[in-house]
Amino acid sequence: AQKVTQAQTEISVVEKEDVTLDCVYETRDTTYYLFWYKQPPSGELVFLIRRNSFDEQNEISGRYSWNFQKSTSSFNFTITASQVVDSAVYFCALSEFNTDKLIFGTGTRLQVFP
Amino acid sequence: GAVVSQHPSRVICKSGTSVKIECRSLDFQATTMFWYRQFPKQSLMLMATSNEGSKATYEQGVEKDKFLINHASLTLSTLTVTSAHPEDSSFYICSAGGGGRDEQYFGPGTRLTVT
């Protein structure tokens, strides 16, 4: 069965601190996709990244970076030099190859204080 | 990125009435649309998958007679909450995919309050 675990319910940091959001997943498939979404207070989901299971390269996009480790079934997300605008709930999600259904983790609420 | 709209953004209805929520893909043809429900401070739970021209596939535990889904065209899916009760109050989010696109694109959500 598929499952996504985000053990951190809430994280609070002060602006300019680095913060890592953890994501651990379970799936029996060898081909799957992993995602991160941001949900600001407005509620709309913002797509951040999609990664397929065959691509273990880490990715950096500005202040955002992702560390995909198949050996530990983890897909962690790091925000460098956090800003107040990064305050949101962040969801990690998984979908298997032959379906577009997304299985979401429980989300991590990030609060960045000035 | 692709644009998906939802209407209405907020709705308040009385217990026992039905409410229809529309999900539209504005700039691409969505062969598949998904409906999610999100309770306050909780995760998104998939309710059903809707394919254009065929019956929706509901997730376990979701009542198909209560949550009617119609995907009549490649740009429109509707979710009707029938005989709504206060426990149906939630944030309903749709997403659209297909048409050669790899990702799903999410609508802005509809906040339903049943009094």
Side-chain angles (χ1 to χ4, degrees):
Chain A
Q2 301 175 74
K3 186 179 178 182
V4 177
T5 301
Q6 293 179 256
Q8 304 150 309
T9 306
E10 287 196 31
I11 300 176
S12 296
V13 298
V14 177
E15 223 174 4
K16 297 184 184 176
E17 281 186 33
D18 298 346
V19 58
T20 295
L21 310 181
D22 298 334
C23 174
V24 174
Y25 62 92
E26 295 175 32
T27 179
R28 292 189 197 135
D29 273 18
T30 55
T31 305
Y32 51 88
Y33 297 97
L34 296 164
F35 302 78
W36 275 95
Y37 288 89
K38 174 182 179 180
Q39 188 178 40
S42 62
E44 185 165 357
L45 280 174
V46 178
F47 168 81
L48 296 178
I49 191 170
R50 172 181 182 261
R51 174 65 89 218
N52 76 55
S53 52
F54 295 112
D55 183 1
E56 283 194 75
Q57 275 193 331
N58 291 332
E59 177 145 346
I60 299 175
S61 176
R63 296 184 298 107
Y64 295 170
S65 62
W66 291 269
N67 184 351
F68 178 24
Q69 299 273 350
K70 280 181 83 169
S71 59
T72 55
S73 297
S74 66
F75 187 44
N76 297 337
F77 171 34
T78 297
I79 302 175
T80 303
S82 59
Q83 300 176 1
V84 173
V85 294
D86 295 328
S87 298
V89 180
Y90 290 86
F91 290 98
C92 180
L94 164 75
S95 75
E96 291 176 345
F97 178 66
N98 59 351
T99 173
D100 292 326
K101 295 198 298 186
L102 286 172
I103 306 300
F104 284 86
T106 49
T108 297
R109 182 176 300 275
L110 173 65
Q111 291 196 340
V112 182
F113 293 100
Chain B
V3 179
V4 176
S5 71
Q6 274 183 249
H7 178 78
S9 57
R10 288 178 180 271
V11 57
I12 301 173
C13 70
K14 291 188 176 179
S15 190
T17 61
S18 295
V19 175
K20 181 186 284 188
I21 302 169
E22 292 185 350
C23 176
R24 292 182 186 272
S25 57
L26 299 183
D27 54 357
F28 72 102
Q29 293 185 325
T31 52
T32 306
M33 287 185 172
F34 301 87
W35 286 96
Y36 297 84
R37 180 167 60 183
Q38 185 181 29
F39 291 110
K41 297 194 176 182
Q42 293 191 27
S43 188
L44 284 79
M45 300 301 296
L46 179 66
M47 299 174 66
T49 303
S50 142
N51 292 298
E52 186 266 338
S54 62
K55 288 185 179 180
T57 303
Y58 289 82
E59 295 299 302
Q60 195 171 10
V62 178
E63 298 175 58
K64 59 180 69 176
D65 293 332
K66 180 166 185 64
F67 298 100
L68 301 179
I69 292 171
N70 187 337
H71 193 158
S73 77
L74 286 171
T75 59
L76 173 65
S77 176
T78 60
L79 167 67
T80 301
V81 183
T82 63
S83 188
H85 288 100
E87 56 265 31
D88 298 324
S89 298
S90 186
F91 192 54
Y92 291 87
I93 306 174
C94 74
S95 71
R101 294 171 184 272
D102 291 331
E103 294 106 30
Q104 291 180 37
Y105 295 89
F106 284 83
T110 296
R111 191 164 302 283
L112 169 64
T113 303
V114 185
T115 60

